[in-house]
Amino acid sequence: MIGRVIYGQQTVVDLSLVTLLAGGHLLLIGVPGLAKTRLVETLGTVLGLDERRIQCTPDLMPADILGSEVLEEDEGGRRGFRFIPGPVFSQLLMADEINRASPRTQSALLQAMQEGRVSVAGHYHPLPRPFHVLATQNPLEQEGTYPLPEAQLDRFLMQVDVAYPDRDAERRMMIATTGAEAAAPSAVLGPEDLMAAQRLVRRVPVGDSVVDGILDLVRSARPEESDLPEVRRNVAWGPGPRASQSLMLAARARALLDGRLAPSLDDVLALAKPVLKHRMALNFAARADGVTLDDVIDRLCAPLA
């Protein structure tokens, strides 16, 4: 169903579905025009979720996202405050170019992602369930942007790099989207179905070899504990325990999507880069030498392959 609308991005679609099944949030990084916004709209339709979009700008305030209280007067002359929810009160929220929002606004959104509720004027308001944020970043333009701090990046289950489609996919896209009629997705699930699937993911059994593989992979990415000289030499800081939790959930969800009843090490290896990439950083010397995080993660995965 999604493939009828999104062309040439099968890996991105699969990882997006894995993230939603695992109950997490997703960060999409890619140049403009690669159907990132279209992907979120399509996922909202196919999964039957209430979908909204925020275009992040430097002047966007937390109240523009969370909502605010307004003073109202009823027919009897009594005055009181009424809370007007913002766009964050949706089941699938797209934060377009999140790095263009100010740190204050980013923090308000990321706190809602972590806690599943917002605080306005001293009162807590729970967010709808399920609640997922799919944020995008443009890697080309850095002027006027506010890069997400490492602690806030950690709240995204995965970071997915969106690449250009291949020639055949771009040809089909060009023909399909410039005709008189465009393909439209339809709903195949509902919010309750998605939450039931998320509960099922957490019940999927995981073998000891996969558990140990996840621990070996994550712990070897920390320069203080790693036995790999490449990691000790090039990595400034490594992933925390949330990376292990994310890998475990994502591996379970990927196995279910593939029709398997238990994850394998192949699932861990396939998800290592999107789960670890935004939870690690290279030091200055490594960047100067042209070392990339992809190179380091490939070396980390080699013992498990």
Side-chain angles (χ1 to χ4, degrees):
M1 182 62 67
I2 299 176
R4 292 170 49 190
V5 181
I6 307 298
Y7 302 92
Q9 299 291 356
Q10 189 59 48
T11 300
V12 177
V13 171
D14 291 343
L15 291 176
S16 301
L17 290 174
V18 167
T19 300
L20 296 179
L21 276 179
H25 310 286
L26 181 67
L27 180 62
L28 298 167
I29 297 184
V31 300
L34 296 181
K36 300 185 295 295
T37 303
R38 183 64 168 161
L39 171 63
V40 179
E41 294 174 351
T42 304
L43 287 172
T45 300
V46 171
L47 299 177
L49 303 178
D50 175 28
E51 179 265 330
R52 297 186 185 181
R53 177 175 177 266
I54 301 171
Q55 181 64 54
C56 296
T57 57
D59 59 349
L60 191 71
M61 299 299 292
D64 298 328
I65 295 177
L66 305 181
S68 58
E69 290 194 332
V70 297
L71 183 63
E72 291 185 333
E73 183 174 337
D74 60 18
E75 297 177 355
R78 293 187 298 272
R79 294 182 177 181
F81 286 97
R82 180 171 69 90
F83 176 67
I84 299 179
V88 75
F89 286 85
S90 60
Q91 295 170 323
L92 185 63
L93 177 68
M94 179 177 189
D96 207 357
E97 294 192 285
I98 189 174
N99 56 331
R100 290 198 177 279
S102 67
R104 182 181 178 187
T105 304
Q106 291 175 0
S107 298
L109 175 60
L110 293 164
Q111 182 182 11
M113 291 165 51
Q114 179 68 22
E115 299 181 4
R117 62 180 183 176
V118 301
S119 175
V120 178
H123 298 283
Y124 284 107
H125 303 274
L127 295 172
R129 297 191 62 190
F131 174 68
H132 299 280
V133 173
L134 273 66
T136 69
Q137 282 190 184
N138 180 357
L140 297 181
E141 298 176 333
Q142 299 302 321
E143 185 176 356
T145 63
Y146 304 88
L148 292 174
E150 290 79 6
Q152 295 180 352
L153 279 173
D154 194 34
R155 297 180 186 176
F156 289 97
L157 185 83
M158 285 194 282
Q159 172 187 307
V160 177
D161 295 330
V162 185
Y164 290 109
D166 58 33
R167 182 183 178 89
D168 291 338
E170 190 165 356
R171 185 178 189 275
R172 290 188 290 115
M173 180 195 312
M174 180 178 62
I175 295 173
T177 58
T178 58
E181 296 182 1
S186 58
V188 297
L189 293 177
E192 294 297 330
D193 299 318
L194 178 58
M195 289 191 291
Q198 291 171 347
R199 291 191 294 268
L200 179 61
V201 165
R202 291 180 173 269
R203 297 173 58 188
V204 172
V206 182
D208 289 340
S209 61
V210 176
V211 173
D212 292 335
I214 292 174
L215 286 173
D216 291 342
L217 179 62
V218 173
R219 295 180 69 86
S220 63
R222 300 167 185 164
E224 303 85 359
E225 303 177 12
S226 180
D227 295 330
L228 299 176
E230 297 93 333
V231 174
R232 296 197 303 270
R233 182 173 61 250
N234 296 321
V235 177
W237 50 269
R242 192 175 285 160
S244 304
Q245 298 169 331
S246 299
L247 259 179
M248 177 77 85
L249 285 172
R252 285 169 161 165
R254 187 175 187 269
L256 280 184
L257 275 179
D258 199 33
R260 291 176 282 114
L261 299 180
S264 66
L265 285 176
D266 290 338
D267 296 309
V268 177
L269 295 175
L271 296 166
K273 287 182 181 179
V275 171
L276 297 179
K277 201 169 181 179
H278 60 297
R279 294 183 166 96
M280 303 171 59
L282 298 174
N283 55 38
F284 178 79
R287 296 196 300 270
D289 291 339
V291 178
T292 66
L293 279 173
D294 287 345
D295 298 332
V296 175
I297 296 175
D298 285 337
R299 180 65 183 88
L300 291 170
C301 292
L304 301 180

